[in-house]
Amino acid sequence: MLKYFLSFIFLITTTLTWSQDNQKKLEERKAKIQKEILENETKLQTVKKKETTATKAIVLQSNKIKLKEELIATTEKQTSLLGNSIVANQAQIAKLEKELQLLKEDYAKMIVQSYKSRSEESRAMFLLSSESFLQAYKRAQYMKQYTNYRHMQGQEIKSKTNVLYTFNAKLDVQKSAKEQLIAENDKERLSLEKEKQEQLKLVESLKKDKKKIIAEIKKKQQEAKTIDRKIDKLIREAIAEANRKAAREKAEKLAKEKAKADAIAKAKAQAAAKAIALEKAKAIEKKKEIEKANALAAAQAKANSKPKPKPIPIPKEVEKAIAQEVPVVSKETSVTQQAVAVSTTKMDLSPKDKVDSDNFKANKGKLPWPVERGFISLGYGDQFHPVYKELQIHNSGLEFTTDSGSSARAVFSGVVTSVIIISPVNKLVMLQHGDFFTIYQNLSSVNVSKGDNVSIRQSLGKIKTNGDGKTILKFAITQNTTYTNPRSWLAGK
């Protein structure tokens, strides 16, 4: 019985610990959302004071509404979790009460039985009536065990009563916490409704100045396209430079290999020419010796008035050797490297660049945000304006709204390929990671230079705060010249 009771206590404790851990995580998430709501509210109030139109205020308002909805959802999860815990605790209480009742009834029967046989004479008679000493010993042990069991039953009743009191106390706390969460949710729902009403007012105020705002948006879109073209040109130049460097290295390698092969061939040709010249010289010398011997023999015959002797013939191999032409080994000529057309849209990866590219690709979905704090205020790709649904806007990356004075951070280690001044107060930094590029735009100051190696999360420069009080970083990722959605590359926040 005691073993089952201890197992039961362990099971309850484990369940409670798991529930408390989940509650703690939800509480931490809720605190983080509330902090983001406060930060967003501060930005929103700053924007409302400085802006002549409400376009940017709507973006902030939308983000605040989204955070409020997330807060309500988190609170509902907490309420549901508490509700489940309450139901589980009520079931445990009911089970404990039932077991406690059975224990008390059993204990009462034991007390009555003990009362009936309480006299010392009855116990003595019970022992003395034994048929043997062994039976008497067993009866004495039985009486001792019975007394111990009765004591254990009393202790178990006491323990279960304490556990029951503890569960009842926790149940009261959980019910109170659940009521508080429900009240918080009701309050947040009312606040959310108020935020939506305020957003409707902002939308209405925008519609009054529709032509002017649409013209302003189109102008900014044109400016963004112009900057995108500059970025595209920078990327193409970086790709072309990398490919030219790879082509030069390849040409130099081939030239070295050719020079080595030419040197070997020249040495062989020189050796062959030398051998032929030597053989020819020996053959000429041999011919001269034969001709001299023939002339001497003819002179001697003439002096002795004898007939002219038959001359010694010149061997064919000597004539053949003399007839050989000694090859002339040409002098070395310098190889002029001609300019080769290279691709500006796809990089020919060197072994090092391939490693960098593979490392970047392996971290897809794990990269840190380019800002330490903030939220995504404009998504990637084509999207409709939050107010004028007939107006489509394009964004080649993501826009992050952050705190004034914040810095842009490298999302991965790489090399600075470009630092461009778009305007005196708008600078751009581009990093290369193999055939991937990350672009950080709208910087008021820059901490790095072209050619620098940067590490992950290293500060690249301060993000510009606009005249309307907003601090926005424009961030993009490309593979070669193809833009990709940065959201799929970044870790969740």
Side-chain angles (χ1 to χ4, degrees):
M1 178 68 80
L2 182 61
K3 185 169 107 176
Y4 292 126
F5 176 67
L6 290 173
S7 300
F8 173 68
I9 293 296
F10 173 74
L11 180 63
I12 292 169
T13 307
T14 306
T15 306
L16 282 172
T17 304
W18 178 82
S19 177
Q20 286 167 358
D21 287 344
N22 276 349
Q23 282 285 5
K24 187 179 178 182
K25 286 178 184 175
L26 288 171
E27 198 62 45
E28 287 171 356
R29 177 63 186 148
K30 194 164 80 170
K32 188 177 178 182
I33 294 168
Q34 286 171 334
K35 185 182 176 184
E36 287 180 13
I37 288 172
L38 285 173
E39 288 173 354
N40 202 80
E41 178 63 27
T42 305
K43 292 188 185 83
L44 183 59
Q45 294 305 321
T46 305
V47 167
K48 283 181 179 176
K49 286 176 185 175
K50 293 186 178 181
E51 279 197 308
T52 54
T53 65
T55 311
K56 292 183 177 66
I58 283 180
V59 174
L60 286 167
Q61 195 84 39
S62 298
N63 190 64
K64 190 177 176 184
I65 288 170
K66 184 181 174 184
L67 287 169
K68 288 265 184 186
E69 287 171 345
E70 193 175 344
L71 180 62
I72 289 168
T74 303
T75 309
E76 283 177 348
K77 283 181 183 177
Q78 279 187 294
T79 306
S80 175
L81 193 60
L82 270 175
N84 292 339
S85 294
I86 288 168
V87 170
N89 285 344
Q90 285 173 335
Q92 299 295 354
I93 286 169
K95 188 176 180 182
L96 276 170
E97 286 175 341
K98 186 177 179 181
E99 289 178 356
L100 191 58
Q101 182 63 32
L102 289 171
L103 278 171
K104 285 180 177 179
E105 288 174 2
D106 191 30
Y107 191 71
K109 289 177 183 177
M110 286 172 62
I111 294 297
V112 170
Q113 187 65 30
S114 296
Y115 180 79
K116 288 179 179 179
S117 57
R118 68 187 182 282
S119 65
E120 292 294 331
E121 292 82 0
S122 297
R123 292 175 186 171
M125 288 300 296
F126 181 66
L127 290 171
L128 292 170
S129 61
S130 303
E131 294 179 358
S132 64
F133 177 77
L134 181 61
Q135 191 180 49
Y137 174 75
K138 286 183 177 179
R139 286 184 178 186
Q141 287 297 315
Y142 168 75
M143 290 168 66
K144 185 179 177 181
Q145 288 172 3
Y146 185 78
T147 303
N148 289 339
Y149 179 69
R150 190 174 67 183
H151 178 70
M152 283 173 60
Q153 286 286 81
Q155 288 296 322
E156 192 173 350
I157 289 169
K158 185 178 178 182
S159 296
K160 285 208 173 185
T161 304
N162 289 335
V163 172
L164 189 59
Y165 285 149
T166 303
F167 265 91
N168 279 321
K170 284 183 179 177
L171 191 62
D172 290 339
V173 171
Q174 286 176 332
K175 284 179 178 178
S176 175
K178 185 177 179 181
E179 288 170 4
Q180 186 179 344
L181 285 172
I182 290 169
E184 280 180 20
N185 242 11
D186 291 340
K187 183 182 175 182
E188 289 299 335
R189 286 183 195 281
L190 289 171
S191 175
L192 180 62
E193 190 58 37
K194 185 180 175 183
E195 295 292 343
K196 287 181 177 178
Q197 291 297 324
E198 192 169 339
Q199 189 180 44
L200 284 174
K201 289 178 184 177
L202 287 169
V203 171
E204 289 302 318
S205 71
L206 273 176
K207 286 181 178 177
K208 292 176 186 176
D209 224 357
K210 183 176 179 179
K211 286 184 180 178
K212 182 182 175 183
I213 291 166
I214 288 178
E216 184 184 331
I217 292 167
K218 285 183 177 179
K219 183 184 175 184
K220 287 184 177 178
Q221 282 283 290
Q222 284 300 321
E223 289 173 358
K225 284 179 181 178
T226 302
I227 292 170
D228 283 348
R229 282 194 291 271
K230 285 183 180 179
I231 293 170
D232 185 66
K233 185 182 176 185
L234 288 173
I235 293 170
R236 286 174 181 271
E237 286 174 356
I239 291 171
E241 179 57 35
N243 287 343
R244 276 194 292 271
K245 184 181 176 184
R248 280 196 302 271
E249 289 174 354
K250 186 178 180 180
E252 286 171 4
K253 185 181 177 183
L254 289 172
K256 284 179 182 177
E257 289 174 355
K258 186 177 184 303
K260 186 178 178 181
D262 288 348
I264 293 169
K266 183 181 177 183
K268 285 181 178 179
Q270 286 176 335
K274 190 176 179 181
I276 291 170
L278 182 62
E279 187 182 0
K280 186 172 183 177
K282 284 180 179 180
I284 291 170
E285 189 63 32
K286 181 73 174 174
K287 184 178 180 182
K288 284 180 179 178
E289 287 176 0
I290 293 171
E291 287 175 345
K292 186 178 178 181
N294 286 336
L296 182 62
Q300 285 178 349
K302 187 178 179 182
N304 296 324
S305 302
K306 289 182 179 181
K308 187 178 180 180
K310 187 177 180 181
I312 301 168
I314 305 296
K316 289 182 180 180
E317 60 270 17
V318 172
E319 294 288 358
K320 188 177 178 182
I322 292 170
Q324 287 183 109
E325 290 292 335
V326 179
V328 179
V329 180
S330 61
K331 294 181 179 179
E332 290 183 8
T333 55
S334 59
V335 179
T336 305
Q337 291 185 8
Q338 296 182 348
V340 180
V342 294
S343 173
T344 60
T345 57
K346 187 176 181 182
M347 192 178 293
D348 295 326
L349 294 174
S350 66
K352 181 185 177 302
D353 288 335
K354 189 173 187 315
V355 170
D356 292 342
S357 179
D358 290 344
N359 285 341
F360 188 87
K361 198 183 296 183
N363 282 275
K364 187 173 185 179
K366 304 172 190 174
L367 300 178
W369 280 31
V371 292
E372 189 175 353
R373 290 182 302 277
F375 63 91
I376 297 170
S377 49
L378 186 62
Y380 170 80
D382 295 325
Q383 52 213 288
F384 293 105
H385 190 270
V387 178
Y388 309 114
K389 300 299 180 185
E390 71 276 14
L391 182 64
Q392 194 177 59
I393 56 178
H394 176 77
N395 190 17
S396 53
L398 294 176
E399 289 188 7
F400 293 86
T401 297
T402 184
D403 301 332
S404 178
S406 295
S407 297
R409 310 184 303 173
V411 299
F412 202 69
S413 58
V415 180
V416 179
T417 55
S418 298
V419 176
I420 300 298
I421 299 173
I422 296 169
S423 74
V425 289
N426 186 359
K427 298 175 179 67
L428 176 149
V429 172
M430 186 166 75
L431 304 183
Q432 182 184 346
H433 321 272
D435 59 351
F436 287 92
F437 296 88
T438 53
I439 298 115
Y440 310 79
Q441 186 191 335
N442 207 34
L443 306 178
S444 59
S445 63
V446 174
N447 303 336
V448 293
S449 303
K450 185 176 179 179
D452 286 355
N453 287 303
V454 298
S455 56
I456 189 168
R457 293 189 179 87
Q458 181 177 328
S459 172
L460 303 174
K462 293 288 182 185
I463 304 168
K464 181 182 76 173
T465 299
N466 300 331
D468 55 21
K470 292 191 75 178
T471 306
I472 298 173
L473 174 71
K474 296 183 178 181
F475 174 73
I477 298 177
T478 73
Q479 184 174 19
N480 291 310
T481 55
T482 305
Y483 282 87
T484 181
N485 188 351
R487 194 71 193 86
S488 62
W489 288 86
L490 302 176
K493 224 182 182 189

